[in-house]
Amino acid sequence: ALFHYILFDILILPLLQDWNRTWYTANPDLTQCFQNTVLVWVPCIYLWLLAPFYCLHLYCHDHGRIHISCLCAAKMVLGFLLASFGFVEFFYILLERSQDIQHHMVFLLSPIIRSMTVILALCIIQLERIRGCRSSIFLFLFWVLAVVCSLVPLRAKIQLAMDEGIASDIVRYLAFFSYFTIQLAQLFLCCFADQPPEGNWCRTNPCPVKDASFLSKILFWWFTGLVVKGYRTPLAAEDLWTLREEDTSYKIISELQEDWTAERAKLQKQEKALVSGVALGSRLPDQAQLLRKLQKKQSSGFFLLSTLARKFGPYFLTGTLLQSRLLFLHSLLLGFMRDEDAPLWKGYFYATLMFLLSCLQSLFNHQYMYTCFTVGMRVKTAVMGLVYRKSLVINSAARRTCTVGEIVNLVSADTQKLMDFVVYFNAVWLAPIEIALCLFFLWQHLGPSALAGIATVILIFPLNGFIAKKRSRLQVRIQMKFMDGRIRLMNEILNGIKILKFYAWEKAFLEQVLGYREKELKALKKSQILYSISIASFNSSSFLIAFAMFGVYVMLDDRNVLDAQKVFVSMALINILKTPLSQLPFAISTTMQAMVSLRRLGKYLCSEELKVDNVSKAPLNVAIENGTFSWSAEGPPCLKRINIHVPRGSLVAVVGHVGSGKSSLLSAMLGETEKRSGRVTVKGSVAYVPQQAWIQNATVQDNIIFGREKLKTWYNRVLEACALLPDLDILPAGDATEIGEKGLNLSGGQKQRVSLARAVYRKADVYLLDDPLSAVDAHVGQHIFDKVIGPKGVLRDKTRILVTHGMSFLPQADLILVLVDGEITESGSYQELLSRHGAFADFIHTFASTDSSSGKLKTCKLVMAFGISSISLFFFFFIKLTYGLSIFNRGDTTNSNLQNMEPVSEADEEQVPEDLGKLTEVDKARTGRVKLEMYRKYFKTIGLAIIIPIVFLYAFQQGASLAYNYWLSMWADDPIVNGTQIDTNLKLTVFGALGFVQGQLHSIAIFGTTVAISVCGIIASRQLHMDLLINVLRSPMSFFECTPSGNLLNRFAKEIDAIDCMVPDGLKMMLSYVFKLMEVCIIVLMATPFAAVIILPLAFLYAFVQSFYVATSCQLRRLEAVSRSPIYTHFNETVQGASVIRAFGEQSRFILQANKRVDFNQTSYFPRFVATRWLAVNLEFVGNGVVLAAAILSVMGKNTLSPGIVGLAVSHSLQVTGILSWIVRSWTDVENNIVSVERVNEYADTAKEASWSIEGSSLPQAWPHRGTIEFQDYGLQYRKGLELALKGITLNVQERDKVGIVGRTGAGKSSLALGIFRILEAAKGKIFIDGVNIADIGLHDLRSRITIIPQDPVLFSGSLRMNLDPFDTYTDEEVWSSLELAHLKNFVSNLPDKLNHECSEGGENLSLGQRQLVCLARALLRKTKILVLDEATAAVDLETDTLIQSTIRTQFEDCTVLTIAHRLNTIMDYTRVIVMDRGNISEMDSPANLIAQRGQFYRMCREAGLV
């Protein structure tokens, strides 16, 4: 009997639910039995079935124990109350209702099951607490189910109480209501998260998502705090949360690095197999070799993708599962509208169901988007990390193929493309599934006529596939190539801006950049036109599908009737079809672009690395056995047959001509070159001083200690030994002074000594010194040699290998290596080499004997030795210039770089002490919403003439759409006579005509608007880029000193890219959706005018939420843009100093710094995309409100409204959510990307130089033809309010005069030259050249007619000829003769491409000496009447130096030459010498007379050993 009860009562009875009582009635209800069984068991079954799996999950994920909190205690108490209710009810039934039990066992079992389930829930709460789970989705869903299932009995109980009165069974009523209330309380408590587990409190300002409950997470409520904060006051970087651990660079890259290394190994194995398969690669035909190269490129991209997919795929897939689309409910709603007898509650039921499902879809969709963006962010971190690490190990051959500009492009543009790909990738495979589903439902609805629609879809795809392919090709081959070229060139312009200003070359480089830009925009324009065709074809497709299907459907059979239900369910399906159809071209395009970027990244990440076995650590000190080295695997060897053994603690000098391979020898010891054969061993740690000092943008102290801890006494000893103490006295904040990028505010000598101090401080075992004394004065050089390098210096016990041109040091070297053309021709001590009477001995004798007649052989040797150690250009000048100190004490007698300092407003003088020593300006973020001015500027560059037609086209397109939809609703309302509709053909014709007009015009309008907006975008971005470029090039030198190049590169790369693509795309989207929204509102208002009551408040709410949000969003976008600049600056710095970083073994510290900067950037990127999700979820709930309103109003007006209009209103209102979220998204995109316009525009207001040329200037073509210079009471100051650096200089320089300018540091030597070039403008007085006041002529007119040979030899990437003559003004013969005079003719004629030899970035494929000779050739080519000379022979050997001096004497014989002299012997034969002192001329006469006067000049000569 019991078995019979259980079987029948518990399992079968509830299923026999009486549908007449539930559905087909005006007052629906469920049977008592169903309420007491199924509704009780559903939550119980859910919990019991899934609990084991959930417990297993908790067991595997332990986050630490949580202490019992008030929340947990409350849950437990309420749980026990619930459980006890069940047991009480059980006993109550047993005692009071024993007669019922015979009939229904169910009544007795249900309370027990319920209580046991609650006890299970309590056990799970405890388990969660022990395992550290703070918010449970599992229990939340259980309580939701429990409450939902209790709603029906609750309604029944209330109904019963109203009918019979509550007194009839008061205990049961109270018990049930209490039970329901406690369930609600449990559900409410489940919405909060528990406290963090023990030991998890540590992070400052942690991301609140960790503390958020499940509900808060899915609704993004945890983000509200930041939005409110951003609305009240503009956000600053410190307001942002720290990154979650799983998003940090360290966490992401450490795991990814291993995977990628394994993948690369696989790829290299494949290559080796290919190579061994074809042992003689050179015999392969060209096509086969090309194929192999292509295959390598493709596969490297594929391998990178597979690595990223393995790392981020699983998390990404969890998000994908969340994406869902709505079921097509409103077919039921329309059926209800048609059925005149249907009860009203059904309408409300359908409307509510539609609302709930819309809300669910919104939630799922945005969780999916959130997951995508999180993965995108992690991919960006991963790629940046991999690229940065690669740049530290890439070998020199590979490094030459990719410039700094291209690397910056990889981490800016290409990572962005990958992030977009992650977000839109799912559309590529989801869209076809959605299309298939829609077509399936259409088939169900319209039968075989749906095939007509399928055919239309099939026709559209091939066209778009073709377009996508074409666009991809355009983007890769053309646009990205030119963008790389443009960024590379900009990087070089910023690095060599000083040379551009001295030579007045800005226009030539401006044209080169604009040439790249035009080609880039041309490709962009073609790509956008193709994209417009693609969009237009997809948009008109929805009409074509509808027309084809309805046409075929009506023509097939007279009985086929188009009623509201058929039309509007079909139209809703077609509208749903629109989304995947419009997303598909975009998704395909994004995927294509990402594939291109993957290939580019793969190619870079798979490029050759430095081999670890190039140098082996061994017991021998430093030795090379039979070594042959080259700079690239294919190139000619740069060193041949090298055999060296350096004993421990010895000093080795390496000498040789320019380009003989001295620096290459040190590189070989560092493992930087390609080892062809032989063996290199180095014992212990290495410190390296490169020939061109690499200085970080950090304080002097940070540059010297270079990541080690500061040992005070040792540090001071190093400063003293490297002669840096006098310099630190001059610097405004001593060793805490910030040095500009590439050591901008230090002289060449200071940079070299800071670089040397860094090496000395390191206490390494082996020191590789590449000509560290070339840029310092004679007495400073001697001091450094004695105190640091020489036998009595601090490094006396270390192994030192010194490349030098200074002959005075050679006698003290233990071993001298003589290099000629990459081979060691002689080696031995100084005496041994002299006694051999070889080339070295002849050389020494020649140069020693030239001066022996004066009887001062020893001193002369010393002076000549320093003759070549060029003394750096205009010493200290910059410091004085930046910090306004005009009187210095001793130090190098060199002056710092010729640099301009714009006069600054008085406010700047009183600087805050902690800013003392600060130089570079951090990229600052503006605050508040983007000003209207920016929009005005953007649209003004486009012009009204184009904007008005665009708006008209949009309005027209929407109007056509409205008309054709309205006609459909009228047709659908047509009465049915005898099972058919009348005038079907006419209606089809009108629908076809309207549709065709709408379709065609719509397509044309869409094509027109998208093309027009793209073209507008291109017009605007062309103009904005041009303005930015001109503003930057017209800025004075001081601007470049305090603006890091990263800030400027960021503007030229990322911000311009955003203006090119993002702003027009956002505008396109926004305009089309705004007009679409207007159409929907009109239709809903036409159907139910009463809806205005709901639409208006919703519109206000919408506007409020939007304004609330934009303030935060914009500020986050700015903060993100600002924090991106330091990443580029750091990348730039690292790539240039990679060899130093490797030599010192500091890679891991630099990687940590890069991680820090990337993480800092991501802290503002993360809230930025969460903000969009927060807004979209909230707004879509508003939109879902519109759907609910439209549906409920339709139900209320059931008797007055036609189904056609209702169908139209509901099918359109269903789109509202989507439209709203897209409007917000696109509007936010526009507003966020307009920030780029704002940032590009920032440099419009900075100070500018005087104009380059003056209109109508009557300057003769041959000016200056004599070369006279006259200073009239000339004064100059570095900043307003400071003491004059030159005080009333009056001076006449006659034509053909040779004038030497000498003086102690800070005497004002450099200021004279700065005045002549107008790098600084006069504070008083005038300068006349050939009688013309130079202040009255354009800067280019002045600078192009006089010449300077500066100290730093700067070359640009491009041909050698372009470097000598960028304007193409001279003939090849003239260029060749200038090369001959500069002693470069032999070198250049031996190059395969002669004058068209490609110089790499910064001229890195020429030695420093050769670069200096190229600078001399420039001056010889211009051959102006006035030449200002700094000692321009820093890095050349003695022989070449002598030749150069004689060239200058002969070639510039009829010119006026001003030499700012550091080596007095070069000016002894000059007509006049000017001795400067504290901004005044203290002595002026011929050298012989000045010596006779025994004044200041005589004392200087005596110090130098010349008298």
Side-chain angles (χ1 to χ4, degrees), residues 527-537 1006-1007 1010-1011 1014:
S527 169
Q528 288 291 2
I529 288 172
L530 286 170
Y531 185 46
S532 302
I533 295 172
S534 177
I535 285 183
S537 74
I1006 287 176
F1007 177 71
T1010 45
V1011 166
S1014 304

Side-chain angles (χ1 to χ4, degrees), residues 741-965:
E741 263 186 278
K742 302 186 194 63
L744 260 174
N745 48 341
L746 297 183
S747 71
Q750 285 171 316
K751 282 193 279 196
Q752 205 50 288
R753 284 175 301 147
V754 168
S755 176
L756 180 64
R758 175 197 298 151
V760 178
Y761 187 80
R762 190 41 72 121
K763 293 188 178 174
D765 302 316
V766 177
Y767 281 82
L768 304 178
L769 312 168
D770 197 349
D771 206 7
L773 304 175
S774 62
V776 295
D777 271 7
H779 65 282
V780 179
Q782 194 63 51
H783 168 93
I784 289 175
F785 187 79
D786 294 342
K787 294 283 178 121
V788 180
I789 304 166
K792 298 193 180 102
V794 280
L795 303 181
R796 55 184 173 275
D797 304 329
K798 311 285 186 184
T799 308
R800 294 140 293 159
I801 297 167
L802 170 72
V803 169
T804 183
H805 296 135
M807 285 161 50
S808 65
F809 310 132
L810 300 183
Q812 300 179 55
D814 302 316
L815 176 66
I816 297 170
L817 305 175
V818 183
L819 273 171
V820 179
D821 293 335
E823 288 192 57
I824 296 176
T825 52
E826 298 178 72
S827 70
S829 69
Y830 187 71
Q831 292 308 326
E832 281 171 23
L833 291 179
L834 281 182
S835 61
R836 280 185 209 154
H837 302 297
F840 178 78
D842 296 347
F843 177 75
I844 293 282
H845 289 309
T846 314
F847 280 94
S849 60
T850 48
D851 293 286
S852 58
S853 53
S854 66
K856 301 199 170 44
L857 180 66
K858 185 164 175 286
T859 48
C860 233
K861 258 192 220 163
L862 195 140
V863 169
M864 285 310 284
F866 279 104
I868 43 76
S869 68
S870 99
I871 323 308
S872 80
L873 160 69
F874 314 135
F875 173 62
F876 276 170
F877 161 66
F878 182 83
I879 297 163
K880 164 169 80 168
L881 162 130
T882 311
Y883 306 114
L885 292 153
S886 53
I887 299 164
F888 301 170
N889 35 4
R890 60 205 180 77
D892 284 11
T893 35
T894 49
N895 278 348
S896 176
N897 313 349
L898 284 174
Q899 274 156 358
N900 176 4
M901 192 70 198
E902 269 299 290
V904 179
S905 63
E906 279 87 270
D908 283 17
E909 292 158 33
E910 301 150 25
Q911 265 194 320
V912 195
E914 57 256 36
D915 281 357
L916 205 64
K918 281 298 285 170
L919 171 72
T920 48
E921 288 172 10
V922 182
D923 209 352
K924 290 190 198 75
R926 299 195 174 191
T927 52
R929 285 190 72 159
V930 178
K931 294 191 178 71
L932 272 174
E933 188 55 42
M934 281 308 121
Y935 291 100
R936 208 172 294 132
K937 182 174 176 62
Y938 185 79
F939 291 120
K940 203 168 157 193
T941 46
I942 296 170
L944 261 181
I946 307 183
I947 294 171
I948 292 169
I950 290 180
V951 175
F952 172 74
L953 275 171
Y954 268 118
F956 177 79
Q957 152 189 332
Q958 243 34 66
S961 166
L962 186 67
Y964 121 92
N965 276 318

Side-chain angles (χ1 to χ4, degrees), residues 979-1024:
T980 64
Q981 281 172 313
I982 43 175
D983 298 335
T984 307
N985 290 353
L986 167 77
K987 296 216 175 71
L988 187 62
T989 315
V990 173
F991 173 61
L994 266 176
F996 186 73
V997 168
Q998 186 259 355
Q1000 286 314 304
L1001 295 175
H1002 196 63
S1003 301
I1004 293 165
I1006 287 176
F1007 177 71
T1009 47
T1010 45
V1011 166
I1013 289 182
S1014 304
V1015 169
C1016 293
I1018 287 169
I1019 292 170
S1021 70
R1022 175 188 286 130
Q1023 191 56 47
L1024 288 166

Side-chain angles (χ1 to χ4, degrees), residues 1408-1422:
L1408 194 62
Q1410 285 162 337
R1411 277 180 261 166
Q1412 253 169 344
L1413 295 178
V1414 172
C1415 292
L1416 175 69
R1418 277 179 193 158
L1420 289 160
L1421 196 57
R1422 281 162 74 112

